[in-house]
Amino acid sequence: MTDLDISFDPTRLDQAMILQFLREQAHWAADMDGARLQRAIRHSLVIGAYHRGRQIGFARVITDYASFAYLSDVFVLPAHRGQRVGQAMIKAAIAHPDLQQLRRFLLVSRDARGFYRQLGFGPLQQGERYMELRQQAAHPALLRWPFSLRRSQAERPRASA
C-alpha cells in the first residue's frame, strides 16, 4: 500500500475508532471500555497505521524494554486488509530500536497464527514452563489491595518444643 505511515506516537491515535473496533469486532476485547483503553495505551508502546492521515490499524506492545514484550490488540480495519498493513505494523514493532535487546516476544492468537508465522513467530519452546493466572480463577484474597505481608500471631507457625 502506498501512502502508508507507521507511527509510535500515542497522540495520533484515534481512540474512539480503536475502542469501537475492539468492542464490536475483536473477540478478545469485547469488554473494553474507554478508561481501560487509555490506561493500556499509556502503559504500552503503541503502533498506529495511517493511510492518507486516517488511522486504519493498531497494535500495542507491552514491554519492560529489557527482556520481554507481549504483542496485543493487533488489528487492521476490514477495508484495508490484504494490503500488508498488519505486516508493516508488526515489522515496525519488532525493529523498534528500544526492543532490540529482548529475549522473548510473545503473543496469543486464536485465528491469525498463519499470519504471525510468516513474520517469524512460532509455538512456544518449552511451553510447559509457562503459566497464567486468570482473574476468574484467582483466590479472592490475592485480589485484595492493600495487603500486608505481616502475619498475625495466630497465623505464625509455632516452633516445636
Side-chain angles (χ1 to χ4, degrees), residues 54-66:
R54 182 174 161 261
Q55 187 172 0
I56 60 170
F58 176 73
R60 65 190 184 93
V61 178
I62 305 153
T63 183
D64 63 2
Y65 294 96

Side-chain angles (χ1 to χ4, degrees), residues 4-141:
L4 180 66
D5 178 27
I6 302 296
S7 173
F8 296 97
D9 182 357
T11 65
R12 290 186 65 188
L13 296 174
D14 181 346
Q15 291 190 30
M17 180 278 291
I18 295 168
L19 182 60
Q20 181 178 1
F21 184 93
L22 291 176
R23 292 190 70 163
E24 296 175 7
Q25 298 185 51
H27 61 83
W28 66 89
D31 63 344
M32 183 66 74
D33 61 46
R36 183 180 289 179
L37 177 62
Q38 288 177 357
R39 195 166 50 250
I41 288 170
R42 191 170 49 249
H43 295 286
S44 301
L45 174 67
V46 294
I47 301 103
Y50 303 86
H51 182 248
R52 298 184 180 150
R54 182 174 161 261
Q55 187 172 0
I56 60 170
F58 176 73
R60 65 190 184 93
V61 178
I62 305 153
T63 183
D64 63 2
Y65 294 96
S67 63
F68 176 83
Y70 178 80
L71 184 62
S72 184
D73 296 335
V74 179
F75 72 85
V76 175
L77 294 177
H80 299 278
R81 292 182 185 159
Q83 299 175 43
R84 301 194 173 166
V85 175
Q87 280 188 359
M89 287 192 306
I90 305 311
K91 286 178 179 179
I94 294 168
H96 192 284
D98 292 343
L99 304 180
Q100 296 309 298
Q101 300 304 311
L102 300 179
R103 289 188 302 236
R104 195 163 277 110
F105 213 122
L106 297 180
L107 63 87
V108 175
S109 177
R110 180 173 83 181
D111 50 6
R113 296 170 70 82
F115 167 77
Y116 291 110
R117 272 191 205 98
Q118 293 174 25
L119 296 165
F121 287 87
L124 280 176
Q125 292 180 6
Q126 303 172 336
E128 69 281 357
R129 293 182 181 186
Y130 288 79
M131 299 177 73
E132 70 175 339
L133 173 65
R134 299 187 63 86
Q135 290 287 51
Q136 303 89 330
H139 188 280

Side-chain angles (χ1 to χ4, degrees), residues 148-160:
S148 172
L149 296 179
R150 290 189 222 167
R151 292 183 178 176
S152 69
Q153 281 297 115
E155 295 176 304
R156 290 190 183 137
R158 297 180 189 256
S160 55

